[in-house]
Coordinates of all heavy atoms in Angstrom, one line a residue:
V1 N 16.6 46.3 80.3 CA 15.8 45.6 79.3 C 14.8 46.5 78.7 O 14.2 47.4 79.3 CB 15.0 44.5 79.9 CG1 14.1 43.7 78.9 CG2 16.0 43.4 80.5
K2 N 14.7 46.3 77.3 CA 13.5 47.2 76.6 C 12.5 46.2 76.3 O 12.6 45.1 75.8 CB 14.2 47.6 75.4 CG 13.3 48.5 74.5 CD 13.7 48.9 73.2 CE 14.9 50.0 73.3 NZ 15.5 50.6 72.1
I3 N 11.3 46.7 76.6 CA 10.1 46.0 76.3 C 9.4 46.6 75.2 O 9.2 47.7 75.2 CB 9.0 45.8 77.6 CG1 9.8 45.2 78.8 CG2 7.8 45.0 77.1 CD1 10.3 43.9 78.7
A4 N 9.1 45.7 74.1 CA 8.5 46.4 72.8 C 7.4 45.5 72.4 O 7.3 44.2 72.7 CB 9.6 46.4 71.9
K5 N 6.5 46.1 71.7 CA 5.4 45.4 71.1 C 5.0 45.7 69.6 O 5.3 46.9 69.3 CB 4.1 45.8 71.9 CG 4.1 45.5 73.3 CD 3.0 46.2 74.1 CE 1.6 45.8 73.7 NZ 1.2 44.4 74.2
V6 N 4.7 44.7 68.9 CA 4.4 44.9 67.5 C 2.8 44.3 67.4 O 2.6 43.2 67.7 CB 5.3 43.9 66.7 CG1 4.8 44.0 65.2 CG2 6.6 44.4 66.7
N7 N 2.0 45.3 66.9 CA 0.6 45.0 66.7 C 0.6 44.3 65.3 O 0.8 45.0 64.2 CB -0.3 46.2 66.7 CG -1.8 45.9 66.5 OD1 -2.0 45.1 65.8 ND2 -2.4 46.6 67.2
V8 N 0.3 43.0 65.3 CA 0.4 42.2 64.0 C -0.7 42.7 63.0 O -0.5 42.4 61.9 CB 0.2 40.6 64.4 CG1 1.4 40.2 65.1 CG2 -1.1 40.4 65.0
D9 N -1.9 43.2 63.5 CA -2.9 43.7 62.5 C -2.3 45.0 61.8 O -2.8 45.2 60.6 CB -4.1 44.1 63.3 CG -4.9 42.7 63.8 OD1 -4.7 41.7 63.1 OD2 -5.6 42.9 64.7
E10 N -1.5 45.8 62.5 CA -1.0 47.0 61.9 C 0.3 46.8 61.0 O 0.8 47.6 60.3 CB -0.8 48.1 62.9 CG -2.1 48.5 63.6 CD -2.0 49.3 64.8 OE1 -0.9 49.8 65.2 OE2 -3.0 49.8 65.3
E11 N 1.1 45.9 61.6 CA 2.5 45.6 61.0 C 2.5 44.2 60.4 O 3.3 43.5 60.9 CB 3.5 45.9 62.1 CG 3.6 47.3 62.7 CD 3.9 48.3 61.7 OE1 4.7 48.0 60.7 OE2 3.4 49.4 61.8
E12 N 1.7 43.9 59.4 CA 1.8 42.5 58.9 C 3.0 42.1 58.3 O 3.4 41.0 58.4 CB 0.6 42.5 57.8 CG -0.7 42.6 58.3 CD -1.9 42.7 57.3 OE1 -1.5 42.3 56.1 OE2 -3.0 43.1 57.6
A13 N 3.8 43.0 57.7 CA 5.0 42.8 57.2 C 6.2 42.3 58.1 O 6.9 41.3 58.0 CB 5.6 44.0 56.3
L14 N 6.1 43.0 59.3 CA 7.0 42.5 60.4 C 6.6 41.0 61.0 O 7.6 40.3 61.1 CB 7.0 43.5 61.5 CG 8.0 44.6 61.4 CD1 7.8 45.6 62.7 CD2 9.4 44.2 61.4
A15 N 5.4 40.8 61.1 CA 4.8 39.6 61.5 C 5.4 38.5 60.5 O 5.7 37.4 61.0 CB 3.2 39.6 61.7
A16 N 5.0 38.8 59.1 CA 5.5 37.9 58.2 C 7.0 37.6 58.2 O 7.5 36.3 58.0 CB 5.0 38.3 56.9
Q17 N 7.7 38.6 58.3 CA 9.1 38.5 58.4 C 9.8 37.5 59.4 O 10.6 36.8 59.2 CB 9.7 39.9 58.7 CG 11.3 40.0 58.7 CD 11.8 41.3 59.1 OE1 11.2 42.4 58.9 NE2 13.1 41.4 59.6
F18 N 8.9 37.4 60.5 CA 9.4 36.6 61.7 C 8.5 35.3 61.7 O 8.7 34.5 62.6 CB 9.4 37.2 63.0 CG 10.6 38.1 63.1 CD1 10.3 39.5 62.8 CD2 11.8 37.8 63.4 CE1 11.4 40.5 62.9 CE2 13.0 38.7 63.5 CZ 12.7 40.0 63.2
G19 N 7.6 35.0 60.7 CA 6.9 33.8 60.6 C 6.0 33.7 61.7 O 5.6 32.7 62.2
I20 N 5.2 34.8 62.1 CA 4.4 34.9 63.4 C 3.0 34.1 62.9 O 2.3 34.7 62.0 CB 4.1 36.2 63.8 CG1 5.4 36.9 64.4 CG2 3.1 36.2 65.0 CD1 6.4 36.2 65.2
M21 N 2.8 33.0 63.4 CA 1.5 32.2 63.2 C 0.5 32.3 64.3 O -0.6 32.0 64.1 CB 1.9 30.8 62.7 CG 2.8 30.8 61.6 SD 2.2 31.4 60.0 CE 1.1 30.0 59.4
S22 N 1.0 32.4 65.4 CA 0.2 32.5 66.7 C 0.6 33.6 67.6 O 1.8 34.0 67.5 CB 0.3 31.2 67.5 OG 0.0 30.0 66.7
I23 N -0.2 34.2 68.2 CA 0.1 35.2 69.2 C -0.7 35.0 70.5 O -1.6 34.2 70.6 CB -0.5 36.7 68.6 CG1 -2.0 36.6 68.4 CG2 0.3 37.1 67.4 CD1 -2.5 38.0 68.0
P24 N 0.0 35.4 71.7 CA 1.3 36.3 71.5 C 2.5 35.4 71.2 O 2.6 34.2 71.7 CB 1.3 36.8 73.1 CG 0.6 35.8 73.8 CD -0.5 35.2 72.9
T25 N 3.3 36.0 70.5 CA 4.7 35.4 70.2 C 5.7 36.3 70.9 O 5.6 37.6 70.6 CB 5.1 35.1 68.8 OG1 4.1 34.1 68.3 CG2 6.5 34.7 68.6
L26 N 6.5 35.8 71.8 CA 7.5 36.6 72.5 C 8.9 36.3 72.1 O 9.2 35.2 72.2 CB 7.3 36.5 74.1 CG 5.9 36.9 74.4 CD1 5.3 35.9 75.5 CD2 5.8 38.2 74.9
M27 N 9.6 37.2 71.8 CA 11.0 37.0 71.2 C 12.0 37.9 72.0 O 11.8 39.1 72.2 CB 11.2 37.2 69.8 CG 10.2 36.6 68.9 SD 10.3 36.9 67.2 CE 11.4 35.6 66.5
V28 N 13.1 37.3 72.4 CA 14.2 38.1 73.1 C 15.3 38.2 72.0 O 15.8 37.3 71.5 CB 14.7 37.4 74.3 CG1 16.0 38.1 74.8 CG2 13.8 37.2 75.2
F29 N 15.7 39.6 71.9 CA 16.7 40.0 70.8 C 17.9 40.5 71.6 O 17.7 41.2 72.6 CB 16.2 41.1 69.9 CG 15.3 40.7 68.9 CD1 13.9 40.4 69.1 CD2 15.8 40.5 67.6 CE1 13.2 40.1 68.2 CE2 14.8 40.1 66.6 CZ 13.6 39.9 66.9
E30 N 19.0 40.2 71.3 CA 20.2 40.9 71.8 C 21.2 40.9 70.7 O 21.6 39.9 70.0 CB 20.8 40.1 72.9 CG 22.0 40.7 73.5 CD 22.4 40.3 74.9 OE1 22.5 39.0 75.0 OE2 22.8 40.9 75.9
G31 N 21.8 42.1 70.4 CA 22.8 42.4 69.3 C 22.3 42.1 68.1 O 22.9 41.5 67.1
G32 N 20.8 42.3 67.8 CA 20.3 42.0 66.6 C 19.8 40.6 66.1 O 19.3 40.4 65.2
K33 N 20.2 39.8 67.2 CA 19.8 38.2 67.0 C 18.8 37.9 68.0 O 18.7 38.2 69.1 CB 21.1 37.5 67.1 CG 22.3 37.8 66.1 CD 23.4 36.8 66.3 CE 24.4 37.0 65.3 NZ 24.6 38.3 64.6
V34 N 18.0 36.9 67.5 CA 16.9 36.3 68.4 C 17.6 35.2 69.3 O 18.2 34.3 68.8 CB 15.9 35.6 67.5 CG1 14.8 34.8 68.4 CG2 15.1 36.5 66.6
L35 N 17.5 35.5 70.5 CA 18.0 34.5 71.5 C 16.9 33.6 72.0 O 17.5 32.4 72.4 CB 18.5 35.3 72.8 CG 19.6 36.4 72.7 CD1 20.0 36.9 74.0 CD2 20.8 35.7 72.0
N36 N 15.7 33.9 72.0 CA 14.8 33.0 72.7 C 13.5 33.4 72.1 O 13.1 34.6 71.8 CB 14.7 33.4 74.2 CG 14.3 32.1 75.0 OD1 13.6 31.3 74.6 ND2 14.8 32.2 76.2
T37 N 12.6 32.3 72.0 CA 11.2 32.6 71.5 C 10.2 31.7 72.3 O 10.5 30.6 72.7 CB 11.0 32.1 70.0 OG1 12.1 33.0 69.2 CG2 9.8 32.4 69.5
A38 N 9.0 32.2 72.5 CA 8.0 31.6 73.3 C 6.7 32.0 72.6 O 6.5 33.0 72.1 CB 8.0 31.9 74.6
I39 N 5.9 30.8 72.4 CA 4.5 31.3 71.7 C 3.3 31.0 72.9 O 3.4 29.9 73.6 CB 4.3 30.3 70.6 CG1 5.3 30.6 69.5 CG2 2.8 30.5 70.1 CD1 5.3 29.7 68.4
G40 N 2.5 31.9 73.1 CA 1.5 31.7 73.9 C 1.8 32.6 75.2 O 2.8 33.1 75.5
A41 N 0.8 32.8 76.1 CA 0.9 33.6 77.3 C 1.9 33.1 78.3 O 1.9 31.7 78.4 CB -0.4 33.8 78.0
R42 N 2.7 34.0 78.9 CA 3.7 33.4 79.8 C 3.5 34.3 81.0 O 3.1 35.5 81.1 CB 5.0 33.6 79.2 CG 5.4 32.8 78.1 CD 5.6 31.3 78.6 NE 6.1 30.5 77.4 CZ 5.4 29.7 76.6 NH1 4.0 29.9 76.6 NH2 5.9 29.0 75.8
S43 N 3.9 33.8 82.3 CA 3.9 34.5 83.5 C 5.0 35.4 83.5 O 6.1 35.3 82.7 CB 3.9 33.5 84.7 OG 5.3 33.0 84.7
K44 N 5.1 36.3 84.4 CA 6.1 37.3 84.6 C 7.5 36.5 85.0 O 8.5 36.9 84.3 CB 5.9 38.3 85.8 CG 6.9 39.2 86.0 CD 6.6 40.1 87.1 CE 7.7 41.1 87.5 NZ 7.5 41.9 88.7
D45 N 7.4 35.5 85.8 CA 8.6 34.7 86.1 C 9.2 34.0 84.7 O 10.3 34.0 84.7 CB 8.3 33.7 87.1 CG 8.2 34.2 88.5 OD1 8.7 35.4 88.8 OD2 7.6 33.5 89.4
E46 N 8.3 33.5 84.0 CA 8.7 32.9 82.8 C 9.3 33.9 81.9 O 10.4 33.6 81.1 CB 7.5 32.1 82.0 CG 7.0 30.8 82.7 CD 5.8 30.3 82.2 OE1 4.8 31.1 81.9 OE2 5.7 29.1 82.0

């Protein structure tokens, strides 16, 4: 698994592209597609 981070203050265009309104927003991508999204802090198990 690759873990990646986008700083919304530095990358406003990427945040806008995905409609990020609240942070943290966590998205799982596979094959270039979004599989799953969660808004707000999540535990490691989640």
Side-chain angles (χ1 to χ4, degrees):
V1 172
K2 183 183 292 185
I3 304 298
K5 297 170 64 73
V6 174
N7 184 323
V8 297
D9 289 334
E10 296 172 0
E11 298 297 330
E12 293 176 14
L14 274 176
Q17 180 180 339
F18 289 95
I20 304 303
M21 302 299 280
S22 298
I23 54 173
T25 294
L26 302 138
M27 303 176 100
V28 176
F29 286 80
E30 186 171 36
K33 295 183 176 25
V34 177
L35 298 181
N36 212 334
T37 302
I39 298 171
R42 295 290 187 268
S43 70
K44 181 180 172 186
D45 287 343
E46 290 172 310

